[in-house]
C-alpha cells in the first residue's frame, strides 16, 4: 500500500493507492493509478510533483484514514503521525514506512476509469529495508 500526497497551493491532499508499481530502472520511474474523476486526479493534472510513501505493516490505520470517502486534508490526517515536507515536491511525506519517493509526472495515460500517472523518481527521501510491506489482497490485509 502506498500513500500518495501532493501540495495544491495552501492545501495538502493525499490518498491510499493500491495500484502502484515500478516501471523503469533507468531512469527510475513508477506508476500510480488514480480514479480519473477524483479531485486528486484533477490536482495531479495541474501539477507534476508529488510524493509516495510505501507503507509498512504497522501503518494499517494510516492506510485506512487516507482511503475513506470525504477525508479531510492530509495535514489533519497526519497530525498525530511523524511526517515532514519533501524538499523537491513540497508534498507531505509520512515517516516510518518502507520508502518515500518524490516523483515528477512524465506521462498521463487514460485506462478505463483511471488515469495512470507515470513519473520519474526525483529523490528517494528514505528507504528502510528492515520492515515488511503493508499488502492488501481481495479487500484484506495480508
Amino acid at each position: 500500500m502506498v500513500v500518495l500526497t501532493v501540495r495544491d497551493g495552501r492545501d495538502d491532499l493525499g490518498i491510499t493507492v493500491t495500484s502502484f508499481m515500478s516501471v523503469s530502472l533507468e531512469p527510475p520511474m513508477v506508476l500510480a493509478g488514480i480514479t480519473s474523476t477524483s479531485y486528486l486526479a484533477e490536482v495531479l493534472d495541474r501539477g507534476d510533483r508529488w510524493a509516495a510513501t510505501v507503507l509498512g505493516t504497522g501503518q494499517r490505520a494510516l492506510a485506512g484514514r487516507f482511503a475513506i470517502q470525504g477525508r479531510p486534508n492530509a495535514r489533519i490526517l497526519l497530525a498525530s503521525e511523524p511526517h515532514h515536507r519533501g524538499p523537491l515536491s513540497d508534498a507531505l511525506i509520512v515517516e516510518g514506512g518502507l520508502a518515500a519517493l518524490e516523483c515528477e509526472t512524465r506521462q498521463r495515460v487514460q485506462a478505463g476509469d483511471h488515469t495512470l500517472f507515470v513519473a520519474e523518481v526525483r529523490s528517494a527521501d528514505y528507504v528502510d529495508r528492515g520492515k515488511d510491506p503493508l499488502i492488501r489482497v481481495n479487500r484484506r490485509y495480508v
Side-chain angles (χ1 to χ4, degrees):
M1 305 287 299
V2 169
V3 166
L4 187 149
T5 54
V6 62
R7 185 161 195 180
D8 182 34
R10 292 186 290 171
D11 201 8
D12 290 288
L13 305 169
I15 191 168
T16 298
V17 177
T18 56
S19 300
F20 186 84
M21 63 182 276
S22 172
V23 174
S24 168
L25 290 176
E26 220 25 75
M29 297 183 86
V30 294
L31 177 148
I34 307 291
T35 304
S36 297
T37 56
S38 70
Y39 180 62
L40 187 67
E42 179 184 323
V43 170
L44 290 172
D45 273 338
R46 289 196 307 259
D48 292 331
R49 294 196 174 188
W50 43 275
T53 302
V54 181
L55 300 178
T57 54
Q59 295 175 305
R60 183 176 173 177
L62 185 63
R65 274 186 256 156
F66 275 90
I68 61 171
Q69 294 285 356
R71 66 192 158 278
N73 78 32
R75 277 182 306 222
I76 292 171
L77 294 173
L78 290 174
S80 64
E81 300 286 334
H83 66 281
H84 62 276
R85 199 166 288 285
L88 297 177
S89 64
D90 207 26
L92 295 177
I93 294 177
V94 180
E95 295 175 13
L98 273 70
L101 309 171
E102 290 191 272
C103 304
E104 188 169 350
T105 301
R106 297 291 186 218
Q107 186 177 6
R108 293 162 179 85
V109 179
Q110 289 303 127
D113 61 355
H114 278 62
T115 302
L116 307 178
F117 293 88
V118 181
E120 184 174 348
V121 176
R122 305 295 293 165
S123 171
D125 190 78
Y126 68 84
V127 175
D128 185 347
R129 289 178 171 79
K131 295 184 178 177
D132 292 325
L134 180 63
I135 299 172
R136 188 173 164 111
V137 178
N138 294 327
R139 300 180 185 201
R140 301 186 77 140
Y141 291 100
V142 295

